[in-house]
Structures are given as C-alpha cells and as structure tokens.
Amino acid sequence: MAKLLPQTGLALFAICAFSTGALALDSKTISQIEKLTPVDQLDQRCDIEAMDRLQADKVISYTFSHPKRTAVHVDADGAVFRRAGHWYRLSYACTTSPDHLSIVAFTFKRGAMIAHKDWTRYYLYP
C-alpha cells in the first residue's frame, strides 16, 4: 500500500496539472506571439487556450460583441468557436501573465450552435 500511495499521488498531480488546461506553447508560437502588439498578444493567447479546451479549430472573440479588455484580461461574451465544421456561440474570461505567454485563469461557457443560414451575416466560414 505504501508503494501505491506515491504513484497515486503522482497520478493525481498529473490529472490536476492537465485539467488546468494551460497549454504549453512551443517556441515557434512564442516567437509569433512576441511579434504582436500587447492587445493582439492577449487575444491570440486566449484564443489558443479556448481552442485547446474546446478542441476547436478556430475561435473568434468579437463576432457578437466587442471583448472587454485590461492589460492582462479579456471578457469575450460574444465569441464563437468552430469544431467539426459547425460554429457555436461562446463566452469566455481569460487572464494571462504580464508577458501574455501563460494563462493565469480561464473560464468559458459554450453556447448554442449557429445555424448555417446565419454564417454569412456573421462572417463565419466553413
């Protein structure tokens, strides 16, 4: 039993660390983010986090309303994401580190699927 406890503790640590959803960026992505303005750095880092957590291939933070930002935080209540060829409404709150490379906090709420007939009106694409 004593030998099992450390392995269990390690497994729990791994699950907790993974469940934070904080995606480690590769050096190429970091290099690209560092070339952007601070506002765009914040937006891109939060979009990457949303895509990772939602298993999405695209996130747009401004489809239904403009995001509210501070230097390290964005509230995107009018966002959307695309997964498996469908678009969905999304609301998220994201806080990054001052360099915008790490996620400090991230919460989200998935919304309803957006009807294909409405894609053109919202500038969404397949």
Side-chain angles (χ1 to χ4, degrees), residues 22-23 25 45 49 94-105:
L23 176 68
L25 300 176
R45 183 60 186 98
E49 187 68 17
C94 175
T95 304
T96 69
S97 57
D99 65 2
H100 305 297
L101 296 177
S102 298
I103 298 297
V104 175

Side-chain angles (χ1 to χ4, degrees), residues 78-110:
V80 296
F81 72 96
R82 184 180 63 202
R83 181 173 60 201
H86 300 285
W87 286 96
Y88 301 85
R89 292 188 72 130
L90 172 66
S91 175
Y92 70 82
C94 175
T95 304
T96 69
S97 57
D99 65 2
H100 305 297
L101 296 177
S102 298
I103 298 297
V104 175
F106 188 90
T107 59
F108 67 96
K109 182 178 180 184
R110 293 180 197 133

Side-chain angles (χ1 to χ4, degrees), residues 34-53:
E34 288 174 335
K35 294 176 185 177
L36 301 172
T37 65
V39 169
D40 289 336
Q41 289 175 348
L42 174 66
D43 285 347
Q44 288 300 309
R45 183 60 186 98
C46 291
D47 286 354
I48 290 168
E49 187 68 17
M51 288 180 354
D52 180 55
R53 291 186 185 222

